[in-house]
Amino acid sequence: MSTLPASARRYSAWSLLRARYAGPGYWRPLWSGRNLQPAYDVVIVGAGGHGLATAFHLVRDHGLRRVAVLEKRLVGYGNVGRNTTIVRSNYLLPENHYFYEDALRRWETLSRELNYNVMYSPRGVLDLALTNDDFPALARRGNALRLAGIDAELLDLPALERFAPELEPRRKRRFPIVGALLQRRGGTVRHDAVAWGYARAASALGVDIIEDCEVTGVRAAGGAATGVETTRGHVQAEQIVFATAGHTGTIGTMLETALPIETHLLQAMVSEPIKPLLNSVVVYVSPGHGETYICQSDRGGLVMGGHLDGFPSYTREGAWHRLEDVVRGALELFPRIGGVKILRHWAGTNDMTMDGSPIMDRLRYDNVFVNAGWCYGGFKAIPASGAAFAQFVATGTAPELIRPFRLSRFATGHLLDETGQGPFPVRL
Ligand SMILES: Cc1cc2nc3c(=O)[nH]c(=O)nc-3n(C[C@H](O)[C@H](O)[C@H](O)COP(=O)(O)OP(=O)(O)OC[C@H]3O[C@@H](n4cnc5c(N)ncnc54)[C@H](O)[C@@H]3O)c2cc1C
Protein backbone atom coordinates (compact mmCIF):
# COMPACT_ATOMS: atom_id res chain seq x y z
CA MET A 1 0.00 0.00 0.00
CA SER A 2 1.54 3.34 -1.05
CA THR A 3 2.22 5.82 1.76
CA LEU A 4 2.29 8.79 -0.62
CA PRO A 5 -0.39 11.49 -0.60
CA ALA A 6 -3.17 11.25 -3.18
CA SER A 7 -1.59 13.89 -5.42
CA ALA A 8 1.37 11.59 -6.04
CA ARG A 9 -0.73 8.46 -6.66
CA ARG A 10 -1.71 9.16 -10.21
CA TYR A 11 0.35 6.94 -12.45
CA SER A 12 -1.97 4.70 -14.44
CA ALA A 13 -3.07 3.86 -17.96
CA TRP A 14 -6.24 5.85 -17.18
CA SER A 15 -4.18 8.99 -16.50
CA LEU A 16 -2.41 8.55 -19.85
CA LEU A 17 -5.79 8.41 -21.61
CA ARG A 18 -6.99 11.49 -19.77
CA ALA A 19 -3.80 13.29 -20.74
CA ARG A 20 -4.39 12.34 -24.36
CA TYR A 21 -7.86 13.88 -24.42
CA ALA A 22 -7.55 16.68 -21.85
CA GLY A 23 -4.83 18.51 -23.80
CA PRO A 24 -1.43 19.94 -22.88
CA GLY A 25 -2.56 21.76 -19.70
CA TYR A 26 -3.18 18.43 -18.01
CA TRP A 27 0.43 17.56 -17.29
CA ARG A 28 1.77 19.02 -14.10
CA PRO A 29 5.42 19.24 -13.09
CA LEU A 30 6.65 16.14 -11.26
CA TRP A 31 8.05 18.18 -8.40
CA SER A 32 7.02 21.39 -6.80
CA GLY A 33 9.27 24.25 -7.94
CA ARG A 34 8.65 25.83 -4.51
CA ASN A 35 10.53 28.95 -3.43
CA LEU A 36 13.65 28.80 -1.30
CA GLN A 37 12.86 29.48 2.38
CA PRO A 38 15.26 31.33 4.72
CA ALA A 39 15.57 28.38 7.15
CA TYR A 40 15.21 24.59 7.22
CA ASP A 41 15.68 21.71 9.64
CA VAL A 42 17.77 19.86 7.06
CA VAL A 43 19.41 21.21 3.92
CA ILE A 44 20.62 18.53 1.51
CA VAL A 45 23.13 19.64 -1.09
CA GLY A 46 22.88 17.76 -4.40
CA ALA A 47 19.77 16.46 -6.18
CA GLY A 48 21.34 13.21 -7.33
CA GLY A 49 20.05 9.82 -6.29
CA HIS A 50 21.56 9.92 -2.81
CA GLY A 51 20.39 13.43 -1.93
CA LEU A 52 16.83 12.87 -3.15
CA ALA A 53 16.48 9.45 -1.53
CA THR A 54 17.76 10.83 1.78
CA ALA A 55 15.21 13.66 1.61
CA PHE A 56 12.39 11.22 0.85
CA HIS A 57 13.22 8.97 3.82
CA LEU A 58 13.80 11.88 6.21
CA VAL A 59 10.24 13.03 5.69
CA ARG A 60 8.45 9.72 5.17
CA ASP A 61 10.22 7.61 7.81
CA HIS A 62 11.27 10.19 10.40
CA GLY A 63 8.60 12.83 10.13
CA LEU A 64 10.88 15.79 9.47
CA ARG A 65 8.96 18.63 7.87
CA ARG A 66 11.30 21.43 6.83
CA VAL A 67 13.67 19.73 4.37
CA ALA A 68 15.19 21.22 1.22
CA VAL A 69 17.35 19.77 -1.54
CA LEU A 70 19.55 22.43 -3.17
CA GLU A 71 20.88 21.58 -6.64
CA LYS A 72 23.28 23.74 -8.59
CA ARG A 73 22.02 22.53 -11.98
CA LEU A 74 18.99 20.29 -12.60
CA VAL A 75 17.53 17.24 -10.92
CA GLY A 76 19.34 14.29 -12.45
CA TYR A 77 22.03 16.36 -14.19
CA GLY A 78 24.83 14.54 -12.33
CA ASN A 79 25.85 10.90 -12.31
CA VAL A 80 22.41 9.62 -11.44
CA GLY A 81 21.49 10.43 -15.06
CA ARG A 82 24.84 9.43 -16.58
CA ASN A 83 25.44 5.94 -15.30
CA THR A 84 25.00 2.62 -17.07
CA THR A 85 22.15 1.52 -14.75
CA ILE A 86 23.68 -1.69 -13.40
CA VAL A 87 22.44 -2.95 -10.04
CA ARG A 88 23.80 -5.98 -8.18
CA SER A 89 25.04 -6.96 -4.74
CA ASN A 90 27.88 -9.35 -5.59
CA TYR A 91 30.67 -7.50 -3.77
CA LEU A 92 33.45 -9.48 -2.11
CA LEU A 93 33.66 -7.92 1.35
CA PRO A 94 30.90 -8.55 3.93
CA GLU A 95 30.53 -4.83 4.73
CA ASN A 96 29.80 -4.17 1.07
CA HIS A 97 27.77 -7.22 0.19
CA TYR A 98 25.34 -6.78 3.10
CA PHE A 99 24.92 -3.08 2.29
CA TYR A 100 24.40 -3.63 -1.44
CA GLU A 101 22.11 -6.60 -0.78
CA ASP A 102 19.91 -4.28 1.27
CA ALA A 103 19.85 -1.98 -1.77
CA LEU A 104 19.05 -4.79 -4.19
CA ARG A 105 16.08 -5.92 -2.05
CA ARG A 106 14.81 -2.34 -2.07
CA TRP A 107 15.16 -2.09 -5.88
CA GLU A 108 12.84 -5.07 -6.16
CA THR A 109 9.97 -3.10 -4.62
CA LEU A 110 10.93 0.52 -5.30
CA SER A 111 8.49 1.13 -8.18
CA ARG A 112 5.62 0.26 -5.86
CA GLU A 113 7.03 2.27 -2.99
CA LEU A 114 7.46 5.43 -5.08
CA ASN A 115 4.47 4.67 -7.27
CA TYR A 116 6.78 5.37 -10.18
CA ASN A 117 8.09 2.79 -12.60
CA VAL A 118 11.87 2.66 -12.23
CA MET A 119 12.00 -0.33 -14.60
CA TYR A 120 13.97 -2.75 -12.43
CA SER A 121 15.04 -5.51 -14.81
CA PRO A 122 16.62 -8.54 -13.06
CA ARG A 123 18.16 -9.90 -16.20
CA GLY A 124 21.30 -11.29 -14.50
CA VAL A 125 24.80 -9.90 -14.16
CA LEU A 126 27.57 -12.12 -15.56
CA ASP A 127 31.23 -11.62 -14.65
CA LEU A 128 33.16 -13.51 -17.29
CA ALA A 129 36.53 -15.16 -16.68
CA LEU A 130 38.78 -14.85 -19.72
CA THR A 131 41.87 -16.41 -18.15
CA ASN A 132 42.48 -19.41 -15.91
CA ASP A 133 43.48 -17.02 -13.11
CA ASP A 134 40.17 -15.15 -13.25
CA PHE A 135 38.06 -18.21 -12.60
CA PRO A 136 39.29 -19.04 -9.06
CA ALA A 137 38.94 -15.35 -8.13
CA LEU A 138 35.31 -15.46 -9.26
CA ALA A 139 34.76 -18.74 -7.40
CA ARG A 140 36.10 -17.15 -4.20
CA ARG A 141 33.77 -14.18 -4.54
CA GLY A 142 30.83 -16.48 -5.28
CA ASN A 143 31.61 -18.62 -2.21
CA ALA A 144 31.78 -15.53 0.01
CA LEU A 145 28.39 -14.40 -1.31
CA ARG A 146 26.74 -17.78 -0.83
CA LEU A 147 27.99 -17.89 2.76
CA ALA A 148 26.19 -14.58 3.28
CA GLY A 149 22.97 -15.95 1.76
CA ILE A 150 23.32 -13.88 -1.41
CA ASP A 151 22.67 -15.55 -4.75
CA ALA A 152 25.75 -16.38 -6.80
CA GLU A 153 26.31 -19.17 -9.30
CA LEU A 154 29.60 -20.22 -10.79
CA LEU A 155 29.02 -21.30 -14.39
CA ASP A 156 31.24 -23.57 -16.44
CA LEU A 157 30.99 -23.35 -20.22
CA PRO A 158 27.98 -25.69 -20.69
CA ALA A 159 26.07 -23.84 -17.93
CA LEU A 160 27.00 -20.47 -19.41
CA GLU A 161 25.89 -21.66 -22.82
CA ARG A 162 22.51 -22.59 -21.36
CA PHE A 163 22.09 -19.22 -19.62
CA ALA A 164 23.48 -16.96 -22.36
CA PRO A 165 23.77 -18.80 -25.69
CA GLU A 166 24.15 -15.41 -27.42
CA LEU A 167 27.65 -15.18 -25.94
CA GLU A 168 28.71 -18.28 -27.89
CA PRO A 169 30.95 -19.27 -24.98
CA ARG A 170 32.78 -22.00 -26.91
CA ARG A 171 33.61 -19.76 -29.87
CA LYS A 172 37.32 -19.54 -30.65
CA ARG A 173 38.57 -16.16 -29.45
CA ARG A 174 41.94 -14.58 -28.78
CA PHE A 175 41.06 -14.76 -25.07
CA PRO A 176 38.52 -17.58 -24.80
CA ILE A 177 35.80 -17.55 -22.13
CA VAL A 178 36.68 -19.91 -19.27
CA GLY A 179 33.51 -19.55 -17.16
CA ALA A 180 31.43 -16.94 -15.33
CA LEU A 181 29.93 -15.83 -12.05
CA LEU A 182 26.22 -15.10 -12.30
CA GLN A 183 23.96 -13.07 -10.04
CA ARG A 184 20.47 -13.66 -11.43
CA ARG A 185 18.78 -10.90 -9.37
CA GLY A 186 21.27 -8.34 -10.62
CA GLY A 187 20.36 -6.34 -13.70
CA THR A 188 19.44 -2.79 -14.58
CA VAL A 189 17.17 0.04 -13.39
CA ARG A 190 16.21 3.05 -15.49
CA HIS A 191 18.54 5.74 -14.08
CA ASP A 192 16.65 8.99 -14.73
CA ALA A 193 13.39 7.40 -13.59
CA VAL A 194 15.08 6.93 -10.22
CA ALA A 195 15.88 10.65 -9.94
CA TRP A 196 12.40 11.65 -11.12
CA GLY A 197 10.62 9.07 -8.95
CA TYR A 198 12.38 10.13 -5.76
CA ALA A 199 12.03 13.86 -6.61
CA ARG A 200 8.32 13.47 -7.23
CA ALA A 201 7.72 11.41 -4.09
CA ALA A 202 9.82 13.71 -1.87
CA SER A 203 8.12 16.79 -3.28
CA ALA A 204 4.68 15.29 -2.67
CA LEU A 205 5.68 14.86 0.97
CA GLY A 206 6.62 18.55 1.22
CA VAL A 207 10.36 18.61 0.45
CA ASP A 208 11.48 21.81 -1.31
CA ILE A 209 13.55 20.87 -4.36
CA ILE A 210 15.41 23.98 -5.47
CA GLU A 211 17.25 23.84 -8.80
CA ASP A 212 19.81 26.40 -10.04
CA CYS A 213 20.99 26.95 -6.49
CA GLU A 214 24.67 26.29 -5.89
CA VAL A 215 26.00 26.01 -2.36
CA THR A 216 29.20 28.03 -2.18
CA GLY A 217 30.07 27.98 1.51
CA VAL A 218 29.16 26.86 5.01
CA ARG A 219 28.56 29.35 7.83
CA ALA A 220 29.47 28.25 11.36
CA ALA A 221 29.39 29.69 14.88
CA GLY A 222 30.19 28.24 18.29
CA GLY A 223 31.57 24.98 16.88
CA ALA A 224 28.51 24.12 14.77
CA ALA A 225 27.37 24.86 11.24
CA THR A 226 24.50 27.34 11.12
CA GLY A 227 23.68 27.33 7.42
CA VAL A 228 24.92 27.48 3.86
CA GLU A 229 25.82 30.29 1.49
CA THR A 230 24.23 29.82 -1.91
CA THR A 231 24.01 31.64 -5.22
CA ARG A 232 20.51 32.63 -4.03
CA GLY A 233 21.60 33.93 -0.64
CA HIS A 234 22.10 32.56 2.85
CA VAL A 235 19.99 29.66 4.11
CA GLN A 236 19.90 28.66 7.77
CA ALA A 237 19.98 24.95 8.55
CA GLU A 238 19.94 22.85 11.70
CA GLN A 239 21.67 20.05 9.81
CA ILE A 240 23.46 19.95 6.48
CA VAL A 241 23.96 16.90 4.25
CA PHE A 242 26.40 16.93 1.35
CA ALA A 243 25.54 14.38 -1.35
CA THR A 244 27.48 15.93 -4.20
CA ALA A 245 29.23 12.85 -5.68
CA GLY A 246 31.99 13.99 -8.09
CA HIS A 247 32.15 17.42 -6.41
CA THR A 248 32.85 16.21 -2.90
CA GLY A 249 36.45 17.43 -3.13
CA THR A 250 35.21 21.01 -3.46
CA ILE A 251 33.00 20.48 -0.39
CA GLY A 252 36.10 19.38 1.54
CA THR A 253 37.80 22.63 0.50
CA MET A 254 34.71 24.58 1.66
CA LEU A 255 34.99 22.94 5.08
CA GLU A 256 38.79 23.14 5.16
CA THR A 257 38.98 19.36 5.51
CA ALA A 258 41.10 17.19 3.22
CA LEU A 259 39.13 14.15 2.04
CA PRO A 260 40.65 10.92 0.68
CA ILE A 261 38.79 11.45 -2.59
CA GLU A 262 39.91 12.24 -6.13
CA THR A 263 37.55 13.16 -8.94
CA HIS A 264 38.03 11.02 -12.05
CA LEU A 265 36.11 10.66 -15.28
CA LEU A 266 34.23 7.53 -16.20
CA GLN A 267 32.68 7.42 -19.61
CA ALA A 268 30.06 5.30 -21.25
CA MET A 269 28.55 5.02 -24.69
CA VAL A 270 25.47 3.73 -26.47
CA SER A 271 25.12 2.32 -29.97
CA GLU A 272 22.32 2.78 -32.45
CA PRO A 273 19.36 0.47 -31.67
CA ILE A 274 19.72 -3.06 -32.96
CA LYS A 275 17.59 -6.20 -32.67
CA PRO A 276 17.75 -8.08 -29.36
CA LEU A 277 21.30 -9.43 -29.02
CA LEU A 278 22.07 -9.70 -25.34
CA ASN A 279 19.78 -10.67 -22.45
CA SER A 280 22.03 -10.02 -19.47
CA VAL A 281 24.66 -7.57 -18.22
CA VAL A 282 28.14 -8.81 -19.06
CA VAL A 283 31.34 -7.62 -17.35
CA TYR A 284 34.83 -8.83 -18.19
CA VAL A 285 38.47 -7.85 -18.16
CA SER A 286 40.22 -8.64 -21.38
CA PRO A 287 43.97 -9.13 -21.02
CA GLY A 288 44.17 -7.24 -24.32
CA HIS A 289 41.91 -4.22 -23.73
CA GLY A 290 41.07 -4.05 -20.05
CA GLU A 291 37.65 -3.73 -18.50
CA THR A 292 34.51 -3.79 -20.64
CA TYR A 293 30.89 -4.09 -19.63
CA ILE A 294 27.96 -4.27 -21.94
CA CYS A 295 24.19 -4.64 -21.84
CA GLN A 296 21.32 -3.81 -24.18
CA SER A 297 18.83 -1.08 -23.37
CA ASP A 298 15.08 -1.47 -23.81
CA ARG A 299 15.37 0.64 -26.94
CA GLY A 300 17.93 -1.76 -28.39
CA GLY A 301 21.09 0.31 -27.95
CA LEU A 302 24.20 -1.46 -26.68
CA VAL A 303 25.27 0.37 -23.53
CA MET A 304 28.99 -0.01 -22.92
CA GLY A 305 31.67 1.23 -20.61
CA GLY A 306 35.09 0.42 -19.22
CA HIS A 307 37.69 1.76 -16.85
CA LEU A 308 38.33 5.35 -15.68
CA ASP A 309 40.00 7.71 -18.11
CA GLY A 310 42.98 7.67 -15.77
CA PHE A 311 43.52 11.30 -14.71
CA PRO A 312 41.66 13.61 -12.30
CA SER A 313 39.26 16.00 -14.06
CA TYR A 314 35.93 17.81 -13.72
CA THR A 315 35.37 18.22 -17.47
CA ARG A 316 32.74 15.52 -18.11
CA GLU A 317 34.35 14.95 -21.54
CA GLY A 318 35.55 11.46 -22.18
CA ALA A 319 38.93 10.80 -23.81
CA TRP A 320 39.19 8.87 -27.08
CA HIS A 321 41.65 6.26 -25.87
CA ARG A 322 39.09 4.85 -23.43
CA LEU A 323 36.35 4.83 -26.05
CA GLU A 324 38.64 2.83 -28.32
CA ASP A 325 39.52 0.33 -25.55
CA VAL A 326 35.88 -0.28 -24.71
CA VAL A 327 34.84 -0.77 -28.32
CA ARG A 328 37.73 -3.17 -28.91
CA GLY A 329 36.75 -5.10 -25.81
CA ALA A 330 33.13 -5.31 -27.03
CA LEU A 331 34.24 -6.52 -30.45
CA GLU A 332 36.31 -9.24 -28.86
CA LEU A 333 33.13 -10.61 -27.30
CA PHE A 334 30.76 -9.90 -30.20
CA PRO A 335 32.68 -9.66 -33.50
CA ARG A 336 29.34 -9.40 -35.31
CA ILE A 337 28.64 -5.90 -33.95
CA GLY A 338 31.51 -4.54 -36.06
CA GLY A 339 29.24 -2.47 -38.30
CA VAL A 340 27.08 -1.00 -35.51
CA LYS A 341 27.45 2.76 -35.01
CA ILE A 342 28.08 4.49 -31.69
CA LEU A 343 25.33 7.11 -31.21
CA ARG A 344 26.55 8.95 -28.12
CA HIS A 345 29.27 8.87 -25.53
CA TRP A 346 29.48 10.88 -22.34
CA ALA A 347 31.36 11.06 -19.07
CA GLY A 348 30.59 11.64 -15.42
CA THR A 349 32.79 12.85 -12.57
CA ASN A 350 33.32 10.09 -10.02
CA ASP A 351 34.36 10.61 -6.42
CA MET A 352 37.00 7.91 -6.09
CA THR A 353 38.13 6.79 -2.64
CA MET A 354 41.39 4.94 -2.36
CA ASP A 355 39.76 1.69 -1.17
CA GLY A 356 36.84 1.76 -3.61
CA SER A 357 34.18 1.93 -0.86
CA PRO A 358 31.93 4.87 0.08
CA ILE A 359 32.08 7.34 2.97
CA MET A 360 28.99 7.99 5.12
CA ASP A 361 29.91 10.07 8.12
CA ARG A 362 29.94 13.48 9.78
CA LEU A 363 32.32 16.08 8.37
CA ARG A 364 34.07 18.65 10.54
CA TYR A 365 30.95 19.61 12.56
CA ASP A 366 28.51 17.35 14.41
CA ASN A 367 25.64 18.70 12.31
CA VAL A 368 27.32 18.34 8.90
CA PHE A 369 27.10 14.97 7.13
CA VAL A 370 28.83 13.69 4.02
CA ASN A 371 27.55 10.94 1.77
CA ALA A 372 30.24 10.39 -0.84
CA GLY A 373 33.00 8.27 -2.33
CA TRP A 374 30.64 6.20 -4.43
CA CYS A 375 33.28 5.71 -7.08
CA TYR A 376 31.81 4.01 -10.15
CA GLY A 377 29.20 2.05 -8.20
CA GLY A 378 26.92 4.41 -6.31
CA PHE A 379 23.82 4.15 -8.45
CA LYS A 380 22.95 0.68 -7.20
CA ALA A 381 23.39 1.89 -3.60
CA ILE A 382 20.77 4.65 -3.73
CA PRO A 383 17.77 3.02 -1.98
CA ALA A 384 19.88 1.59 0.87
CA SER A 385 21.93 4.73 1.27
CA GLY A 386 18.86 6.99 1.30
CA ALA A 387 17.12 4.97 4.04
CA ALA A 388 20.20 4.46 6.22
CA PHE A 389 21.57 7.97 5.84
CA ALA A 390 18.20 9.52 6.69
CA GLN A 391 18.18 7.44 9.88
CA PHE A 392 21.70 8.66 10.69
CA VAL A 393 20.75 12.32 10.20
CA ALA A 394 17.39 12.05 11.99
CA THR A 395 18.60 10.09 15.03
CA GLY A 396 22.25 11.13 15.22
CA THR A 397 23.32 7.46 15.27
CA ALA A 398 24.61 5.66 12.20
CA PRO A 399 22.74 2.37 11.63
CA GLU A 400 24.84 -0.81 11.74
CA LEU A 401 24.60 -1.18 7.95
CA ILE A 402 26.62 1.96 7.23
CA ARG A 403 28.90 2.11 10.28
CA PRO A 404 31.87 0.50 8.48
CA PHE A 405 31.90 3.38 5.98
CA ARG A 406 33.21 5.97 8.42
CA LEU A 407 35.92 8.42 7.42
CA SER A 408 38.32 7.42 10.20
CA ARG A 409 39.09 4.11 8.45
CA PHE A 410 41.57 5.98 6.28
CA ALA A 411 43.45 7.15 9.37
CA THR A 412 43.36 3.82 11.21
CA GLY A 413 44.04 1.63 8.15
CA HIS A 414 40.79 -0.40 8.39
CA LEU A 415 40.21 -0.13 4.67
CA LEU A 416 37.34 -1.80 2.84
CA ASP A 417 39.55 -2.73 -0.06
CA GLU A 418 36.96 -3.61 -2.67
CA THR A 419 39.17 -2.44 -5.56
CA GLY A 420 41.94 -4.80 -4.57
CA GLN A 421 40.13 -7.99 -5.44
CA GLY A 422 41.42 -10.31 -8.15
CA PRO A 423 41.44 -9.20 -11.72
CA PHE A 424 38.31 -7.05 -11.48
CA PRO A 425 39.38 -3.51 -10.69
CA VAL A 426 36.21 -1.76 -11.80
CA ARG A 427 33.19 -2.23 -9.58
CA LEU A 428 30.20 -0.80 -11.42
C1 LIG B 1 29.60 6.63 -16.95
C2 LIG B 1 29.18 6.17 -15.59
C3 LIG B 1 28.66 4.88 -15.43
C4 LIG B 1 28.27 4.45 -14.17
N1 LIG B 1 27.66 3.23 -14.09
C5 LIG B 1 27.19 2.79 -12.89
C6 LIG B 1 26.47 1.57 -12.83
O1 LIG B 1 26.24 0.91 -13.83
N2 LIG B 1 26.03 1.17 -11.60
C7 LIG B 1 26.26 1.88 -10.46
O2 LIG B 1 25.87 1.44 -9.38
N3 LIG B 1 26.90 3.10 -10.52
C8 LIG B 1 27.37 3.56 -11.70
N4 LIG B 1 28.01 4.79 -11.78
C9 LIG B 1 28.21 5.57 -10.55
C10 LIG B 1 26.96 6.32 -10.10
O3 LIG B 1 26.34 6.96 -11.18
C11 LIG B 1 27.33 7.31 -9.01
O4 LIG B 1 28.14 6.70 -8.01
C12 LIG B 1 26.10 7.89 -8.30
O5 LIG B 1 25.12 8.31 -9.23
C13 LIG B 1 26.54 9.08 -7.44
O6 LIG B 1 25.55 9.50 -6.57
P1 LIG B 1 24.41 10.61 -6.93
O7 LIG B 1 23.40 9.97 -7.81
O8 LIG B 1 23.89 11.16 -5.66
O9 LIG B 1 25.29 11.69 -7.68
P2 LIG B 1 24.91 12.85 -8.70
O10 LIG B 1 23.76 12.51 -9.56
O11 LIG B 1 26.19 13.24 -9.37
O12 LIG B 1 24.42 14.00 -7.71
C14 LIG B 1 25.23 14.99 -7.12
C15 LIG B 1 24.59 16.33 -7.40
O13 LIG B 1 25.21 17.33 -6.61
C16 LIG B 1 25.16 18.54 -7.35
N5 LIG B 1 26.13 19.46 -6.75
C17 LIG B 1 27.48 19.34 -6.72
N6 LIG B 1 28.03 20.38 -6.07
C18 LIG B 1 27.00 21.18 -5.66
C19 LIG B 1 26.93 22.41 -4.95
N7 LIG B 1 28.02 23.01 -4.50
N8 LIG B 1 25.71 22.95 -4.73
C20 LIG B 1 24.57 22.34 -5.15
N9 LIG B 1 24.58 21.18 -5.85
C21 LIG B 1 25.80 20.61 -6.10
C22 LIG B 1 25.50 18.10 -8.77
O14 LIG B 1 25.11 19.04 -9.74
C23 LIG B 1 24.74 16.76 -8.86
O15 LIG B 1 23.46 16.91 -9.45
C24 LIG B 1 28.42 5.27 -13.03
C25 LIG B 1 28.95 6.55 -13.17
C26 LIG B 1 29.31 7.01 -14.44
C27 LIG B 1 29.85 8.39 -14.59
Side-chain angles (χ1 to χ4, degrees):
M1 172 79 182
S2 173
T3 51
L4 298 176
S7 58
R9 277 187 255 129
R10 207 176 288 126
Y11 188 81
S12 67
W14 176 239
S15 73
L16 295 175
L17 276 176
R18 264 194 305 184
R20 168 75 181 80
Y21 295 106
Y26 174 76
W27 290 104
R28 284 188 221 134
L30 285 184
W31 49 91
S32 64
R34 289 190 195 97
N35 291 328
L36 182 63
Q37 301 301 310
Y40 289 95
D41 292 336
V42 184
V43 160
I44 296 172
V45 186
H50 292 270
L52 292 166
T54 303
F56 170 71
H57 285 284
L58 273 174
V59 179
R60 194 197 66 171
D61 303 349
H62 302 281
L64 272 82
R65 286 285 159 257
R66 299 188 316 153
V67 176
V69 181
L70 310 186
E71 165 55 49
K72 73 172 173 180
R73 305 291 289 264
L74 305 162
V75 167
Y77 180 83
N79 286 344
V80 71
R82 289 166 190 268
N83 64 73
T84 38
T85 75
I86 301 168
V87 299
R88 59 181 181 84
S89 64
N90 58 2
Y91 282 71
L92 175 70
L93 302 177
E95 291 80 357
N96 279 322
H97 58 227
Y98 287 123
F99 173 73
Y100 287 100
E101 178 61 16
D102 183 83
L104 193 52
R105 293 213 181 111
R106 290 173 187 271
W107 284 122
E108 287 163 359
T109 56
L110 192 69
S111 294
R112 214 172 330 130
E113 208 176 333
L114 298 179
N115 190 30
Y116 197 91
N117 188 359
V118 298
M119 297 166 75
Y120 167 56
S121 164
R123 59 183 76 179
V125 172
L126 277 171
D127 280 293
L128 300 184
L130 299 192
T131 71
N132 287 331
D133 290 341
D134 294 356
F135 204 49
L138 289 180
R140 183 168 165 249
R141 177 144 61 102
N143 286 334
L145 289 160
R146 292 170 75 94
L147 275 179
I150 297 170
D151 71 302
E153 291 164 57
L154 196 65
L155 307 184
D156 59 10
L157 287 188
L160 180 58
E161 203 159 39
R162 280 194 299 279
F163 179 75
E166 68 273 20
L167 294 181
E168 300 176 294
R170 292 179 213 247
R171 174 195 254 274
K172 206 163 172 289
R173 294 178 165 92
R174 184 170 161 224
F175 300 106
I177 299 176
V178 179
L181 183 68
L182 167 65
Q183 181 169 42
R184 285 183 196 266
R185 293 157 56 241
T188 59
V189 175
R190 175 80 206 176
H191 52 6
D192 37 22
V194 172
W196 299 335
Y198 272 117
R200 172 180 182 264
S203 173
L205 293 170
V207 172
D208 287 358
I209 296 172
I210 313 288
E211 294 170 294
D212 281 322
C213 181
E214 179 170 357
V215 169
T216 53
V218 174
R219 219 184 260 185
T226 55
V228 290
E229 306 298 343
T230 81
T231 45
R232 299 212 197 167
H234 178 68
V235 182
Q236 277 179 35
E238 298 293 324
Q239 314 208 68
I240 303 166
V241 174
F242 285 101
T244 51
H247 290 85
T248 308
T250 63
I251 305 307
T253 310
M254 229 177 248
L255 286 157
E256 294 169 0
T257 308
L259 287 166
I261 285 179
E262 275 188 13
T263 294
H264 283 256
L265 296 180
L266 183 70
Q267 56 174 312
M269 59 214 73
V270 64
S271 77
E272 62 184 328
I274 57 173
K275 285 184 178 167
L277 171 76
L278 178 62
N279 287 326
S280 49
V281 177
V282 182
V283 184
Y284 52 101
V285 182
S286 145
H289 304 114
E291 168 97 13
T292 303
Y293 59 94
I294 179 166
C295 63
Q296 191 163 18
S297 76
D298 298 321
R299 266 185 291 183
L302 295 172
V303 179
M304 297 174 275
H307 209 331
L308 296 174
D309 275 13
F311 47 86
S313 169
Y314 287 99
T315 59
R316 291 204 178 103
E317 285 171 17
W320 285 102
H321 71 279
R322 189 57 71 210
L323 184 78
E324 198 177 347
D325 282 349
V326 171
V327 169
R328 282 195 175 149
L331 285 171
E332 243 173 55
L333 193 66
F334 289 118
R336 64 194 133 136
I337 63 171
V340 175
K341 295 186 182 64
I342 295 292
L343 272 193
R344 288 184 292 125
H345 77 118
W346 64 91
T349 50
N350 288 0
D351 44 347
M352 304 300 300
T353 55
M354 57 183 87
D355 65 355
S357 295
I359 295 169
M360 287 179 264
D361 208 341
R362 293 189 161 87
L363 188 61
R364 182 157 182 187
Y365 302 107
D366 269 0
N367 62 341
V368 175
F369 298 81
V370 65
N371 173 314
W374 292 104
C375 302
Y376 0 61
F379 175 67
K380 70 179 74 60
I382 287 170
S385 148
F389 212 67
Q391 187 179 335
F392 185 18
V393 175
T395 64
T397 306
E400 196 66 50
L401 199 62
I402 64 169
R403 238 172 261 166
F405 303 108
R406 60 177 78 90
L407 199 43
S408 62
R409 73 179 190 268
F410 295 99
T412 61
H414 293 89
L415 299 179
L416 301 168
D417 195 356
E418 199 66 52
T419 44
Q421 55 166 301
F424 295 96
V426 169
R427 310 304 319 148
L428 283 155

